[in-house]
Amino acid sequence: HVEEGAECLTHLPLNWVGAQGGQAWRRRPLPIAFEDDCYFRREVLRRLDAAGVPWELAIGGESTRAVEVAVSADMAVYVMVEGAERRVFLDPVAHGGALPDLWQTGVNMYVARGPGGPARDMLAGRIRDAYRRLGGPSAG
């Protein structure tokens, strides 16, 4: 879904992630870490409920870093856009169906109109080019 004023650069899957070699994903209730305003939180929790997977919020709040630390300490699992886990040394969870399937999310770019012309347009172009190299829908 692309909102008005946005340009979809690509779609990427969401993955369950956890500590490298971690086991938190095996515990029940499943310990989850989410920022309070995480865009994916509501749907992830709905899918856990629908799959009958008991869960508990192990850590919340406003700090992404606190969530990442808790997950890297194997205290909880988290959901991230594929590829983002590499920057924080987390691993995708190979749960073999023990956790519900997730979905793909759009990576959308919003470019402000008004002042900023050439610099703004150059930056937007470079971002588009980076996603084209990844094989996004704007490639072509």
Side-chain angles (χ1 to χ4, degrees):
H1 170 251
V2 181
E3 294 181 13
E4 186 175 335
E7 172 186 353
C8 184
L9 300 175
T10 194
H11 287 87
L12 294 172
L14 293 176
N15 287 332
W16 293 100
V17 296
Q20 294 176 338
Q23 300 298 308
W25 67 271
R26 296 178 183 272
R27 295 199 300 266
R28 297 298 181 269
L30 179 70
I32 296 283
F34 272 118
E35 299 94 332
D36 292 344
D37 62 353
C38 178
Y39 182 78
F40 308 121
R41 179 178 172 159
R42 180 175 295 170
E43 178 62 16
V44 168
L45 298 180
R46 188 198 68 74
R47 288 180 185 225
L48 286 168
D49 289 341
V53 177
W55 58 270
E56 64 182 357
L57 188 62
I59 188 165
E62 297 178 12
S63 173
T64 300
R65 291 286 182 224
V67 166
E68 291 170 350
V69 166
V71 174
S72 65
D74 203 26
M75 296 170 56
V77 295
Y78 186 50
V79 171
M80 296 181 95
V81 174
E82 184 174 277
E85 72 279 355
R86 290 187 295 260
R87 72 175 175 82
V88 292
F89 307 105
L90 300 174
D91 281 340
V93 173
H95 57 81
L99 299 174
D101 290 335
L102 299 173
W103 63 98
Q104 289 203 346
T105 188
V107 176
N108 300 326
M109 179 170 65
Y110 295 82
V111 179
R113 299 293 163 220
R120 175 201 57 224
D121 295 343
M122 183 181 73
L123 179 58
R126 288 186 180 200
I127 293 169
R128 279 186 202 98
D129 289 345
Y131 278 97
R132 279 190 193 107
R133 286 191 297 276
L134 292 174
S138 60

